[in-house]
Amino acid sequence: MAKAHRNPVPEETFLNYFGMQRPPFGPPADPLEIFDCEQYAFVNERLASTTEHAGSLAVVCGVDGSGKTTLLNRYVANLPEDAAYARFDESCKTGKQFYFEFLKQLGFDEISGTLGEFRNITREFLIYQGTAGHPVAIFVDNAHLVKPSVLEQLRWISATKIKGRRVLSVVLAGNSDLPRIMESPAMRSMKFEHRVDFNIRVYTEFETDAYVWHCLNASGGADVAKFSNDARAMIYRYTGGIPRQINTLCSATLAEACARKNRVIHDKLVRVVADREKMLPHAVPLKSKGRRKTDENYISNIEVELAELAEIAEIVEPVEPVETAEQQSGTRKSVSKKTGEKSKAKSAKAELRKSKALVEKLEKRVEDLQALVSTYVSDLAMLQAQLRAQPEPSDEEQLPHDAILSIEVLKDGECMQVLDINRGQSRVMIGRSEDSELCLCGSVVSRHHALIVPSNDGVFIEDLKSFNGTIVNGTRVTRRAISPGDTIIIGDYELRTKPA
């Protein structure tokens, strides 16, 4: 478990320093504003199907901190006001408390009685709702921690049927222990007409980047707190894409950055905070299967497959028979042994055929990927050629190449260079890539960060969907006209425009 910050920065100071309206990392203020990714849409679709059709069961699994509770909160917040549902978690300890909370959440006031009376009232209510065609749903969070006595009552009321069909739908959310609990003898009788099981995976590296940006943007601090590319990679390395771990690490990192008066966050700071919080690096998967090819011991998957084929081939190679006393005597044992060897050889040949088919499939996949890469390379070369192509206007159309705007490039208050924008230029690329006309070295600057485009209507700056954005006079922009006196922030650089 992560250790608390040794010298925590007061939350008010931390938020004021980064200009945030609320803490960025943690449970969202509004369940409807949580971060969206592709798998969440799939989860919502399955939950909707479960709760809209009586007699359905959904089992949602995921590692601790993967966001199961947050997803349930958002789904429940989207339910219509007249929906009949109840929510439980591990805080419900007894069967009687389960029925009491169930009836209370469904509108029963000042109800009391014995466990048997509660069960009868609940069953009559479910039959009434089922007869009227109104679905009833139960959501159980942290189901792997719920007491067996509560699960037994859930199993009992879920068996309520009308004309042979169940009238209750159930959604169970828990960690990897939940499937084992569902397979226990006590829970096997929960055989619903429709059941779906799915696992909430952790975020990918790309989704981790997007989640960090989403949280900063929702809090109002995305334009102030800037994470370098290396810092974002380090966050994924130490959290493994688990939302709760991301929240813990990023909150502690922002607090430490506030204490150090840093608004640009680098990987070294993330590493220092992670070590202090006793967070260990996760063994994140590589983008390609197996180890990196720079590893001297690297063996590709295809090489492994071929090695396995060679081993199988050795198994089925004919071996010179060694005569034994039993073979010489022609006993049944010899015949049985030969039959067994033939059976093994036949099985090995079948495995060989399957392996060859797998290799052919892999080779075909490799060919398809190579063709796809060739297409991408060709398209990229064409795009670069188009970007670098400079139109050559005729003498009649050629405009005077006089400077119309001057830009001072400053870093840490020191002027690094002065750039003149000429009327005849097609555009000025800004970024850390070497092919940029204005190359700004820095990990918080994107490879192709922004464009400055002169035109007859003035000079415009256009952000190229950079991670940290382009700030003009304190406002994040997508495209905007610039003029003398404007201040442009790109990463940790300040660009001041002046008359030419």
Side-chain angles (χ1 to χ4, degrees):
M1 181 177 291
K3 186 177 69 173
H5 198 284
R6 291 181 296 182
N7 297 305
V9 175
E11 185 175 279
E12 183 178 355
T13 304
F14 162 52
L15 297 180
N16 290 340
Y17 180 73
F18 290 106
M20 298 176 179
Q21 287 80 37
R22 59 179 177 82
F25 297 99
D30 185 349
L32 302 180
E33 294 181 357
I34 72 170
F35 171 67
D36 262 323
C37 65
E38 183 180 359
Q39 67 167 338
Y40 290 173
F42 174 79
V43 172
N44 273 340
E45 180 184 342
R46 293 297 181 268
L47 290 178
S49 176
T50 299
T51 56
E52 290 172 4
H53 299 88
S56 298
L57 171 66
V59 180
V60 185
C61 298
V63 299
D64 291 332
S66 59
K68 301 181 294 296
T69 301
T70 304
L71 280 176
L72 288 182
N73 288 341
R74 182 175 73 168
Y75 181 75
V76 170
N78 270 316
L79 289 174
E81 295 181 358
D82 59 347
Y85 68 90
R87 290 194 60 179
F88 299 92
D89 57 21
E90 72 277 13
S91 62
C92 185
K93 302 296 185 182
T94 65
K96 187 174 180 179
Q97 183 184 1
F98 168 78
Y99 288 115
F100 178 81
E101 289 294 330
F102 177 80
L103 295 172
K104 182 180 178 181
Q105 292 184 45
L106 289 169
F108 290 79
D109 295 327
E110 300 181 1
I111 187 171
S112 61
T114 64
L115 177 61
E117 291 171 339
F118 275 130
R119 290 176 68 168
N120 291 334
I121 295 173
T122 301
R123 185 173 182 276
E124 290 176 3
F125 172 77
L126 290 176
I127 292 175
Y128 171 79
Q129 290 290 106
T131 303
H134 300 151
V136 181
I138 289 182
F139 298 87
V140 184
D141 195 12
N142 291 329
H144 60 286
L145 300 176
V146 173
K147 297 289 185 182
S149 59
V150 176
L151 290 177
E152 170 61 22
Q153 301 308 319
L154 175 62
R155 183 195 64 78
W156 188 85
I157 66 168
S158 69
T160 304
K161 296 182 179 181
I162 297 178
K163 296 181 180 180
R165 296 181 62 86
R166 295 177 186 260
V167 299
L168 182 69
S169 293
V170 179
V171 176
L172 302 176
N175 65 12
S176 55
D177 290 333
L178 184 56
R180 177 180 55 80
I181 295 173
M182 296 302 297
E183 290 301 321
S184 65
M187 300 300 290
R188 267 183 212 158
S189 61
M190 292 182 64
K191 296 187 180 299
F192 286 75
E193 287 81 2
H194 305 283
R195 173 173 173 173
V196 59
D197 297 66
F198 50 88
N199 186 72
I200 298 178
R201 59 170 173 77
V202 297
Y203 293 152
T204 63
E205 186 170 2
F206 175 79
E207 289 171 339
T208 300
D209 277 358
Y211 174 73
V212 172
W213 163 250
H214 170 83
C215 293
L216 291 174
N217 189 51
S219 68
D223 295 335
V224 181
K226 300 182 183 298
F227 287 83
S228 69
N229 295 334
D230 293 336
R232 299 199 300 272
M234 193 64 64
I235 290 171
Y236 179 68
R237 178 75 171 128
Y238 274 97
T239 64
I242 301 175
R244 184 184 297 169
Q245 299 280 6
I246 298 171
N247 292 341
T248 299
L249 180 57
C250 288
S251 295
T253 301
L254 289 177
E256 182 66 20
C258 174
R260 298 188 182 192
K261 303 300 180 184
N262 290 340
R263 286 193 171 90
V264 177
I265 299 167
H266 296 282
D267 59 321
K268 292 182 180 179
L269 180 60
V270 176
R271 188 187 296 274
V272 168
V273 173
D275 291 342
R276 186 177 61 220
E277 298 290 326
K278 298 193 180 301
M279 299 178 70
L280 299 177
H282 283 247
V284 296
L286 301 174
K287 292 183 179 178
S288 59
K289 295 182 180 179
R291 290 179 288 180
R292 298 186 186 275
K293 291 187 178 181
T294 51
D295 186 349
E296 60 182 3
N297 296 320
Y298 171 84
I299 302 177
S300 69
N301 288 339
I302 295 180
E303 290 172 346
V304 173
E305 295 287 346
L306 293 176
E308 292 176 353
L309 290 178
E311 292 178 1
I312 296 173
E314 290 178 0
I315 294 175
V316 299
E317 282 182 359
V319 180
E320 290 296 329
V322 178
E323 292 195 3
T324 64
E326 294 169 344
Q327 288 174 329
Q328 292 174 356
S329 62
T331 61
R332 290 186 178 180
K333 184 176 180 180
S334 174
V335 175
S336 176
K337 185 175 180 180
K338 289 182 179 180
T339 304
E341 290 175 353
K342 290 181 180 180
S343 177
K344 289 181 180 179
K346 186 176 181 180
S347 176
K349 289 180 180 179
E351 292 295 330
L352 178 60
R353 287 194 296 272
K354 291 181 181 179
S355 300
K356 287 181 178 179
L358 177 60
V359 170
E360 292 176 358
K361 186 175 180 180
L362 289 173
E363 291 176 346
K364 181 64 170 62
R365 180 59 177 163
V366 169
E367 291 177 0
D368 293 341
L369 290 174
Q370 288 175 341
L372 186 60
V373 169
S374 299
T375 302
Y376 284 155
V377 170
S378 176
D379 292 344
L380 179 61
M382 184 182 301
L383 180 60
Q384 289 176 338
Q386 291 174 353
L387 288 175
R388 291 173 180 171
Q390 298 290 337
E392 298 182 0
S394 62
D395 294 338
E396 296 179 355
E397 297 175 348
Q398 191 168 3
L399 297 174
H401 286 255
D402 54 327
I404 56 177
L405 193 67
S406 181
I407 298 179
E408 289 186 350
V409 182
L410 297 92
K411 184 175 183 181
D412 298 328
E414 180 182 354
C415 183
M416 308 298 292
Q417 63 175 304
V418 177
L419 176 69
D420 289 332
I421 305 300
N422 297 319
R423 193 180 304 276
Q425 287 180 282
S426 61
R427 66 22 166 199
V428 175
M429 175 71 75
I430 304 175
R432 74 171 191 273
S433 176
E434 295 181 356
D435 62 355
S436 302
E437 284 78 15
L438 178 55
C439 184
L440 303 179
C441 298
S443 56
V444 292
V445 179
S446 298
R447 292 178 58 83
H448 297 103
H449 199 107
L451 278 178
I452 295 179
V453 184
S455 69
N456 294 333
D457 298 327
V459 181
F460 294 83
I461 188 166
E462 180 177 346
D463 184 73
L464 299 178
K465 296 183 179 180
S466 61
F467 183 86
N468 288 309
T470 301
I471 315 299
V472 179
N473 298 333
T475 303
R476 187 178 181 123
V477 301
T478 302
R479 179 180 171 86
R480 173 172 169 167
I482 55 175
S483 56
D486 289 338
T487 300
I488 306 168
I489 301 297
I490 294 182
D492 44 7
Y493 288 84
E494 180 180 346
L495 281 62
R496 298 177 182 173
T497 60
K498 294 185 177 182

